[in-house]
Amino acid sequence: MKKITKVFISVLTGFYLTTSLSALDLQQVTNQLAKHPITTGTFSQVKTMSTAKGNRNLKSSGSFIFSLDGIMWKTEKPFPSSIAVTKKAVIQTAADGTTTVIDTSGNQVFASIASSLTAVFSNDLTELQKIFNTDFAETKDGWTITLTPKDSTIASSLKSIKMTGISDSDYATLNSIQIQENESSSITYNFQNHKYPQELTADEKNFFTSK
């Protein structure tokens, strides 16, 4: 009986160690994401707003860049435009080529979004956790990272940032980002056609340069 008990305990211990070692955590996922310094692809976006007549959904699509220089969404439909977010500035370019630059030092919300996404993709959890409470969860299909601002001023305009993705043994792929601005307004990005170039082209670098 004692021998059977020992065998049973050994099996349970082995099972526990196996599941523990295979379990993901936030550090592992950011490690995996950081292995691709540049990610490009396409996106579809839905901005949801509550109105007196019910929810209103505004849809758009285009291409994106995630890099250590910053993040960029180039909208192609319904109207061409682009927005690039770096640690120092938000650069918006309209269809006619007009560029607007917003200094993030004067806008805590833009600064926190820029810092959080850059921190995730550069595996800088210390920077990330200065600004946000972080909640990581494994799901049936992958993982979820939920960020909630620690600063009350930021929280008044930004409730949360939720990221979902999948991981294999070496790499992680970001599938979506949901930015909850307030109780009645949110923006959801879904990402497809991921590619991992070694460097940005000259045209792509221009998105992150204020003119």
Side-chain angles (χ1 to χ4, degrees):
M1 185 65 183
K2 288 182 178 180
K3 185 178 291 187
I4 293 174
T5 302
K6 288 181 180 179
V7 171
F8 184 66
I9 291 173
S10 297
V11 170
L12 286 180
T13 303
F15 176 76
Y16 174 77
L17 289 173
T18 300
T19 54
S20 294
L21 289 172
S22 64
L24 284 171
D25 59 25
L26 179 59
Q27 183 71 73
Q28 286 175 291
V29 167
T30 55
N31 280 341
Q32 292 171 336
L33 287 170
K35 289 181 180 179
H36 290 306
I38 301 172
T39 302
T40 65
T42 59
F43 75 86
S44 57
Q45 174 193 319
V46 178
K47 181 175 177 63
T48 301
M49 299 180 293
S50 293
T51 68
K53 296 181 179 181
N55 286 345
R56 183 185 179 192
N57 294 325
L58 305 177
K59 298 181 179 180
S60 60
S61 60
S63 58
F64 72 88
I65 297 172
F66 297 137
S67 74
L68 298 183
D69 290 326
I71 60 176
M72 187 280 298
W73 287 276
K74 182 182 180 182
T75 302
E76 296 166 3
K77 296 180 180 180
F79 306 106
S81 64
S82 71
I83 180 168
V85 182
T86 71
K87 286 185 176 181
K88 295 182 178 180
V90 176
I91 305 165
Q92 296 175 297
T93 305
D96 63 0
T98 303
T99 299
T100 302
V101 180
I102 302 171
D103 187 346
T104 56
S105 64
N107 190 308
Q108 287 181 297
V109 174
F110 277 138
S112 61
I113 292 174
S115 296
S116 66
L117 294 177
T118 302
V120 167
F121 285 98
S122 62
N123 194 24
D124 188 354
L125 290 186
T126 300
E127 178 64 25
L128 184 68
Q129 291 170 338
K130 283 181 183 177
I131 308 170
F132 291 95
N133 296 307
T134 58
D135 180 57
F136 178 86
E138 280 195 272
T139 65
K140 180 181 179 181
D141 300 319
W143 45 261
T144 299
I145 301 169
T146 304
L147 309 176
T148 53
K150 292 181 176 180
D151 185 273
S152 59
T153 303
I154 298 174
S156 65
S157 301
L158 175 67
K159 297 300 181 186
S160 65
I161 299 174
K162 181 179 179 181
M163 307 179 192
T164 69
I166 57 175
S167 291
D168 57 26
S169 58
D170 294 313
Y171 299 103
T173 300
L174 181 67
N175 288 338
S176 72
I177 297 175
Q178 183 184 64
I179 301 173
Q180 191 73 38
E181 297 174 315
N182 51 53
E183 297 300 328
S184 59
S185 178
S186 66
I187 304 172
T188 300
Y189 295 91
N190 290 300
F191 306 112
Q192 305 88 25
N193 304 315
H194 298 72
K195 295 180 181 179
Y196 308 101
Q198 293 299 309
E199 60 182 18
L200 296 176
T201 66
D203 287 342
E204 289 170 337
K205 289 180 180 178
N206 283 338
F207 284 114
F208 302 103
T209 304
S210 58
K211 302 175 181 63

